[in-house]
């Protein structure tokens, strides 16, 4: 019996790697959206503050290498490809390379623990578009089967909790025990498909991390809001929350944990290390910022476990396709639910 898959595809957002990349990168991110030029320049300045280099690319490559190593150690020697939505290595180029390498069936992993249109569905649509481009170029498109949800996987939660403890330990000793855990995630429009599920999964993950750390003093807030001011987005904003809680006398120290991000990148660096820190300094509020899970070994273990579960699910037969798999719009049936994912 042939193997059900012959590669892993790790799909991430992507980020510029120098000052000259910033505006072409933003053009990719904002394609099809009517964003005022002044807002684009404002965001470009955020990237310029960090010399145009987003750490998301290196962290994603580290995750891929760690995943490759862990899978090999568990007897599953699969190549792991990285495809980015918005910057090199771009998904169409990566799927074309996979086709040249003879890859036919891949396990897909999107770089988001919490499900929404913008964090999962849009990535899968981009993969589908890249498959269509591969087919149009005369190659057989790669069939991609995605892993299940992992927002409650032990390794992911362990990585978040470990980084919270590391950050909390940087606060003055007399504040560490009373510092509130403030979990952050990217805001999305409340009208977006899956917004309620996204928020619910975030709340479940945050509550479990807090439970593991032995505290019920925590909050979920949002960052990186964009779009028209009159459109409702998930709230509260992290800066509004910090100001309101401090003014009410309910907050004397905070540990900010970007639980909604699996890599530190420019939005995390700017929104939390720059903006939120400025807010806290203006308030006289002690603050520590935990890292995203990045390449924490426990998180890499989560990725490996989810890939192996998907492999095991289909080892008796390849995923069914709704249409001829040689066609670019072939859509696989969803995998069965994976207990404990």
């Amino acid at each position: 019996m042939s193997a059900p898959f012959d590669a892993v595809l790790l799909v991430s957002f992507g980020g510029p790697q120098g000052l000259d990349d910033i505006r072409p990168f933003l053009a990719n991110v904002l394609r099809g959206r009517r964003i005022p030029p002044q807002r684009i320049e404002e965001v470009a300045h955020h990237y310029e503050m960090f010399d145009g280099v987003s750490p998301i690319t290196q962290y994603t490559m580290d995750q891929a290498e760690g995943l490759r190593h862990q899978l090999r150690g568990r007897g599953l020697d699969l190549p792991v490809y990285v495809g980015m939505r918005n910057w090199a290595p771009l998904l169409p180029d990566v799927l074309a390379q996979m086709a040249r390498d003879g890859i036919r069936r891949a396990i897909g992993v999107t770089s988001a623990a919490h499900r929404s249109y913008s964090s999962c569905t849009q990535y899968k649509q981009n993969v589908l578009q890249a498959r269509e481009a591969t087919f149009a170029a005369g190659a057989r498109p790669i069939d991609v089967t995605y892993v299940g949800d992992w927002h409650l996987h032990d390794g992911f939660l362990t990585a978040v909790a470990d980084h919270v403890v590391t950050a909390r330990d940087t606060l003055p000793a007399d504040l560490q025990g009373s510092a509130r855990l403030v979990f952050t995630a990217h805001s999305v429009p409340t009208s977006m498909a899956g917004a309620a599920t996204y928020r619910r999964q975030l709340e479940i993950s945050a509550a479990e991390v807090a439970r593991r750390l032995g505290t019920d003093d925590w909050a979920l807030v949002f960052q990186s809001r964009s779009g028209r001011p009159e459109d409702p987005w998930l709230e509260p904003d992290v800066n509004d929350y910090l100001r309101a809680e401090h003014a009410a006398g309910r907050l004397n120290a905070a540990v900010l944990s970007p639980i909604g991000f699996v890599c530190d990148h420019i939005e995390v660096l700017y929104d939390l290390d720059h903006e939120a820190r400025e807010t806290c300094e203006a308030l006289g509020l002690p603050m520590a910022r935990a890292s995203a899970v990045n390449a924490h070994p426990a998180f890499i273990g989560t990725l490996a476990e989810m890939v192996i579960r998907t492999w095991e699910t289909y080892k008796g037969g390849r995923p069914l396709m709704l249409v001829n798999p040689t066609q670019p719009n072939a859509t696989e049936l969803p995998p069965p639910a994976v207990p404990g994912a």
Side-chain angles (χ1 to χ4, degrees):
M1 184 178 296
S2 62
F5 303 100
D6 43 22
V8 176
L9 174 64
L10 181 59
V11 187
S12 186
F13 188 80
Q17 295 302 292
L19 293 172
D20 291 342
D21 295 344
I22 295 173
R23 284 161 183 81
F25 162 76
L26 291 177
N28 287 342
V29 174
L30 302 174
R31 184 179 293 114
R33 297 172 59 187
R34 299 170 63 181
I35 306 297
Q38 61 269 26
R39 174 56 181 164
I40 296 175
E41 285 305 305
E42 179 183 338
V43 175
H45 176 62
H46 298 172
Y47 283 83
E48 289 167 348
M49 291 174 61
F50 302 94
D51 296 324
V53 178
S54 173
I56 190 173
T57 300
Q58 187 58 55
Y59 281 130
T60 304
M61 295 302 178
D62 291 344
Q63 290 168 352
E65 181 57 32
L67 175 57
R68 189 179 300 113
H69 178 76
Q70 285 218 19
L71 290 175
R72 188 180 302 122
R74 301 187 193 192
L76 198 57
D77 193 7
L78 291 174
V80 179
Y81 293 83
V82 172
M84 305 287 196
R85 288 188 55 224
N86 299 298
W87 204 245
L90 288 166
L91 277 166
D93 298 332
V94 172
L95 264 69
Q97 182 61 56
M98 292 171 72
R100 289 193 294 271
D101 292 344
I103 303 301
R104 293 293 177 262
R105 298 177 297 278
I107 297 174
V109 182
T110 59
S111 294
H114 307 95
R115 194 192 320 161
S116 74
Y117 171 77
S118 60
S119 64
C120 292
T121 306
Q122 191 172 17
Y123 284 70
K124 294 176 182 180
Q125 289 176 346
N126 292 145
V127 171
L128 180 59
Q129 291 164 353
R131 292 181 72 246
E132 291 172 346
T134 302
F135 181 76
R140 183 187 187 281
I142 292 87
D143 300 335
V144 182
T145 301
Y146 295 91
V147 303
D149 290 349
W150 40 272
H151 62 287
L152 269 180
H153 193 283
D154 177 70
F156 171 67
L157 299 171
T158 295
V160 175
D162 282 356
H163 286 318
V164 166
V165 171
T166 299
R168 188 175 59 190
D169 287 349
T170 66
L171 291 170
D174 61 333
L175 293 175
Q176 292 176 14
S178 61
R180 181 174 303 165
L181 305 187
V182 181
F183 297 101
T184 76
H186 201 300
S187 186
V188 299
T190 58
S191 60
M192 177 180 285
T197 297
Y198 175 65
R199 181 168 201 148
R200 183 170 64 252
Q201 289 188 343
L202 284 163
E203 289 171 343
I204 292 171
S205 295
E208 179 58 21
V209 171
R211 187 195 66 79
R212 290 178 176 215
L213 295 175
T215 182
D216 58 4
D217 188 14
W218 64 273
L220 173 66
V221 303
F222 296 91
Q223 62 177 89
S224 310
R225 187 200 191 286
S226 61
R228 301 185 306 173
E230 62 268 26
D231 293 337
W233 284 53
L234 294 181
E235 296 179 337
D237 171 76
V238 57
N239 294 286
D240 293 343
Y241 175 84
L242 294 169
R243 294 187 190 101
E245 289 298 294
H246 184 265
R250 295 190 292 260
L251 187 63
N252 68 345
V255 178
L256 271 56
S257 170
I259 196 170
F261 302 85
V262 299
C263 292
D264 286 326
H265 56 84
I266 297 299
E267 283 185 315
V268 175
L269 301 183
Y270 181 82
D271 292 344
L272 300 186
D273 294 347
H274 177 69
E275 258 192 353
R277 189 169 296 281
E278 278 193 345
T279 295
C280 289
E281 288 174 353
L283 296 172
L285 176 65
M287 170 204 139
R289 204 273 283 181
S291 299
V293 291
N294 294 328
H296 189 293
F299 173 60
I300 303 303
T302 288
L303 300 182
E305 177 67 21
M306 297 310 298
V307 167
I308 291 170
R309 289 184 185 188
T310 305
W311 177 281
E312 291 294 322
T313 297
Y314 292 110
K315 68 180 181 182
R318 60 179 294 178
L320 296 175
M321 307 298 289
L322 295 182
V323 296
N324 188 324
T326 63
Q327 298 302 309
N329 61 344
T331 302
E332 66 196 31
L333 289 173
V338 181

